[in-house]
Amino acid sequence: MERSQMAVVVGVVGAVVIAGVGAAFVFGLVPGGGGDDTAPPTTGDGNGSDVALNFTLVGGSECGQTCRVVNSTIRNTGNTSLNVTADHALFTRYENGSAKKEAWSGEVAPGTIAANETVVSTFEINVGIGDGLALRENDGLLFTTLQTEQGNKTVETVVPVD
């Protein structure tokens, strides 16, 4: 076999091996690969107290193929001011709609929200290409835990992905 033919064969074999290892990593067939399921937080009030907050997604915009800027509102329906921190975790979903794998997490600190006040909270979600494809196929589940001195409240929201 001539040198040029040998180089082509070695190049093709190398490309096949690299593609196979990359696919195994993405699909979780090698340690550190993408397939690990993570349990989402439980929804409701985590401390048994009456946390008077409502969380709603109100829209967003695209900031790249796998990036979204998300706008939400947090309303304090109680009688006292609350210092609020919002922990967000976005999960890909199985076809049946249940949470599959955490694709992104982040924290926003809207600060003190007065009684009967509504604030707009904005955060940016960036995910990898594999998670972006999974989100595009079955949308996502966003778990938001609103943390206050009086307790925590976790809200589950379906996030449609265009």
Side-chain angles (χ1 to χ4, degrees):
M1 193 181 289
E2 291 182 26
R3 283 187 130 170
S4 62
Q5 289 175 325
M6 183 65 129
V8 169
V9 169
V10 168
V12 168
V13 168
V16 168
V17 168
I18 289 171
V21 169
F25 183 80
V26 167
F27 293 108
L29 301 175
V30 296
D36 296 339
D37 289 353
T38 305
T42 57
T43 56
D45 185 348
N47 293 346
S49 62
D50 188 24
V51 179
L53 294 169
N54 292 332
F55 175 83
T56 307
L57 291 179
V58 293
S61 60
E62 190 173 306
C63 51
Q65 278 191 323
T66 58
C67 174
R68 299 293 183 271
V69 174
V70 179
N71 300 313
S72 63
T73 61
I74 301 172
R75 178 159 179 76
N76 180 352
T77 60
N79 296 324
T80 60
S81 295
L82 296 171
N83 187 20
V84 178
T85 301
D87 286 323
H88 303 288
L90 178 65
F91 285 76
T92 60
R93 298 191 323 163
Y94 290 104
E95 286 182 17
N96 68 7
S98 64
K100 181 177 182 181
K101 175 180 153 277
E102 184 173 317
W104 171 87
S105 65
E107 179 181 284
V108 178
T112 301
I113 303 175
N116 294 312
E117 179 183 24
T118 300
V119 297
V120 174
S121 177
T122 301
F123 53 98
E124 188 175 294
I125 296 173
N126 284 297
V127 299
I129 294 197
D131 288 334
L133 291 172
L135 291 165
R136 187 167 291 232
E137 186 163 320
N138 290 319
D139 295 328
L141 283 179
L142 180 68
F143 291 86
T144 301
T145 301
L146 303 170
Q147 300 178 350
T148 73
E149 315 82 42
Q150 293 182 348
N152 301 332
K153 180 177 184 178
T154 301
V155 179
E156 177 183 337
T157 309
V158 174
V159 179
V161 178
D162 300 333

